[in-house]
């Protein structure tokens, strides 16, 4: 779980830094690539077979959701997690589509085919064709840019809702994920087996929350 919390903090820091560096050119783009690498690691980690970090935990389960337990039902937290995951993937993918590896120096250089090198007419037509391709590329880039900026505006709102929900209704979990309360609550062998021992008064303690850690 310590590795998961470290991943969570790293993801949050990169997301915040990427947002705040939006006007700082190459820094913003490099942070975006770093964020993409962390997201790829998360997907690979989920595919490793460890159920506790699997992608299924992002799917909201609305069974048992009622008005009386809506604030603490796991479906609320999972819905916010899923929305954040989609927004993060979208904003990262569109950012990479806009940059196309240029900041990393892997973008293909534009060249004129050698077959046209000694033919002015053909060379002119080749450049005209390439100009048309560039116009098409510009239109696609404008589309990616608009989508990227829209997702970048939505993402902070989702993060604030996610953090606010945890602090308001799942504060022990929020403190645990932020390393604010050590290793978190400990469970006994009987707890892990699914049955908690009775209290001194003979009554059972309150059931543990079924919500899962964020992202």
């Amino acid at each position: 779980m310590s590795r998961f919390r470290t991943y969570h903090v790293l993801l949050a820091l990169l997301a915040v830094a990427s947002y705040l560096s939006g006007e700082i050119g190459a820094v913003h783009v490099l942070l975006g690539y770093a964020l993409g690498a962390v997201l790829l690691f998360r997907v690979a980690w989920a595919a490793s077979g460890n159920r506790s970090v699997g992608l299924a935990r992002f799917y909201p389960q609305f069974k048992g959701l009622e008005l009386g337990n809506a604030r603490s039902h796991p479906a609320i937290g999972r819905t916010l997690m899923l929305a954040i995951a989609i927004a993060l993937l979208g904003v990262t993918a569109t950012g990479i589509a806009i940059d196309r590896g240029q900041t990393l120096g892997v973008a293909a250089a534009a060249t004129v085919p050698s077959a046209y090198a000694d033919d002015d007419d053909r060379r002119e037509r080749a450049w005209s064709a390439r100009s048309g391709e560039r116009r098409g590329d510009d239109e696609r880039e404008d589309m990616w840019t608009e989508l990227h900026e829209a997702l970048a505006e939505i993402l902070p709102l989702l993060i604030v809702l996610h953090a606010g929900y945890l602090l308001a209704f799942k504060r022990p979990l929020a403190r645990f994920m932020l390393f604010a309360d050590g290793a978190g609550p400990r469970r006994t062998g009987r707890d892990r087996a699914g049955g908690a021992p009775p209290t001194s008064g003979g009554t059972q303690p309150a059931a543990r929350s079924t919500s899962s850690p964020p992202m």
Side-chain angles (χ1 to χ4, degrees), residues 30 65 74 102 161 166 186:
L30 290 174
L65 177 61
Q102 295 179 19
L161 288 174
L166 290 179
R186 295 180 179 178

Side-chain angles (χ1 to χ4, degrees), residues 28-209:
H28 175 72
V29 177
L30 290 174
L31 286 170
Y33 279 112
L35 184 59
V38 171
L39 291 174
L40 283 176
F41 165 78
R42 178 66 179 88
V43 173
W45 195 9
S48 67
N50 188 341
R51 293 183 61 184
S52 65
V53 295
L55 296 181
R57 58 195 302 281
F58 285 89
Y59 303 150
Q61 298 290 337
F62 295 97
K63 183 178 180 180
L65 177 61
E66 300 174 356
L67 184 60
N69 67 356
R71 292 181 301 177
S72 59
H73 195 279
I76 306 301
R78 289 191 175 195
T79 299
L80 288 171
M81 284 166 46
L82 180 60
I84 291 174
I86 292 173
L88 271 174
L89 289 170
V91 76
T92 304
T94 52
I96 292 174
I98 293 169
D99 184 67
R100 291 181 292 182
Q102 295 179 19
T103 302
L104 299 180
V106 298
T111 58
V112 179
S114 58
Y116 299 137
D118 298 322
D119 189 327
D120 292 340
D121 182 54
R122 288 187 176 183
R123 186 164 59 243
E124 183 177 348
R125 281 184 293 175
W127 279 112
S128 297
R130 294 193 65 84
S131 297
E133 292 176 2
R134 282 196 295 271
R135 283 194 297 271
D137 290 341
D138 290 342
E139 292 175 359
R140 284 191 294 271
E141 184 171 324
D142 289 342
M143 178 187 69
W144 291 130
T145 299
E146 291 178 5
L147 182 56
H148 181 77
E149 292 177 350
L151 290 171
E153 293 300 322
I154 294 172
L155 184 58
L157 174 61
L158 293 173
I159 293 175
V160 169
L161 288 174
H162 174 64
Y165 170 77
L166 290 179
L167 290 173
F169 305 114
K170 309 280 187 179
R171 184 164 298 183
L173 176 60
R175 289 174 56 84
F176 177 65
M177 294 304 295
L178 295 174
F179 296 90
D181 63 346
R186 295 180 179 178
R187 293 188 293 163
T188 65
R190 291 188 63 181
D191 290 334
R192 289 190 291 271
T199 61
S200 58
T203 58
Q204 294 289 339
R208 291 184 295 110
S209 170

